[in-house]
Amino acid sequence: PLMQPEFLLALLNRCRYEDIQTAVDTTCHARTDVVQRVAEAANLFLCDIKHMDSEKHERYTGARNELILENIKMLARAGRRIRVRIPIIPGFNDDPRNVERTAEFVRSLRTVRGIDILPYNRGGLEKSVRLTADAQGFASLLRAIPPANGRMEEIAGALRTHGFEVKIGG
């Protein structure tokens, strides 16, 4: 939605006029001034965090994560309500070190309402591979399988030890 900021702002403002609560589901990969403008109009942000290591994030998604993490921090500093969403992708971001680093980052955000961990879903990856010149990371994601329920419970438990409300699914 942040790639169409004028339309998004018009929609959010109309919803506010009609007294409709709003949530923006986003990766936060957008110019900070755009995120700031949208923050004024939205009630809640559902922010994806895919990986804490910027190089690995770039290899698998095509973009580094510094801007994403800075935008999420900016939203928290501005007092915006945030719910973090983590798609759990076996072999990519489900290792204990990344889960711990993600928990540490999220713990620093005072306005986070909770964390949703989402079992990996391959939807859209085939299209991403066709649209990306360097499909190296995407190709390995195409081979990944959704995590087992037991693994999702383990990750949820690890995040709960940091005091988060954690839901599996979203």
Side-chain angles (χ1 to χ4, degrees):
L2 297 177
M3 293 188 71
Q4 304 288 330
E6 299 312 319
F7 174 78
L8 177 59
L9 285 165
L11 180 61
L12 291 170
N13 287 327
R14 181 61 189 208
C15 287
R16 185 173 17 191
Y17 177 80
E18 297 290 337
D19 202 26
I20 298 171
Q21 296 292 302
T22 58
V24 176
D25 188 348
T26 178
T27 64
C28 282
H29 189 263
R31 290 189 345 250
T32 300
D33 66 298
V34 169
V35 179
Q36 287 171 328
R37 289 175 44 216
V38 171
E40 309 264 330
N43 297 105
L44 172 69
F45 281 83
L46 306 173
C47 298
D48 289 2
I49 297 179
K50 293 180 180 71
H51 205 288
M52 293 304 296
D53 180 277
S54 193
E55 289 179 17
K56 193 165 187 180
H57 190 279
E58 182 178 30
R59 187 168 56 248
Y60 283 83
T61 69
R64 296 185 63 82
N65 69 359
E66 290 91 354
L67 177 63
I68 294 165
L69 299 177
E70 283 304 315
N71 280 334
I72 294 171
K73 286 192 269 189
M74 180 274 301
L75 289 170
R77 283 191 307 269
R80 307 315 302 168
R81 291 176 47 222
I82 301 168
R83 186 155 188 103
V84 168
R85 297 165 55 89
I86 307 168
I88 302 299
I89 305 166
F92 170 61
N93 66 352
D94 65 333
D95 60 281
R97 171 93 173 109
N98 186 64
V99 171
E100 181 65 24
R101 287 182 65 201
T102 304
E104 290 169 5
F105 174 78
V106 175
R107 193 173 50 225
S108 74
L109 308 170
R110 62 182 176 83
T111 62
V112 170
R113 298 291 186 237
I115 298 175
D116 298 332
I117 56 173
L118 312 170
Y120 176 61
N121 178 333
R122 291 179 10 174
L125 279 176
E126 289 85 359
K127 182 178 180 181
S128 296
V129 168
R130 288 193 310 270
L131 296 175
T132 304
D134 178 13
Q136 180 182 33
F138 291 116
S140 63
L141 290 178
L142 287 170
R143 292 187 297 274
I145 58 171
N149 288 341
R151 182 66 185 127
M152 293 297 289
E153 287 294 341
E154 288 173 18
I155 293 168
L159 293 168
R160 286 182 184 119
T161 66
H162 291 272
F164 298 118
E165 170 203 319
V166 180
K167 287 189 340 188
I168 298 174

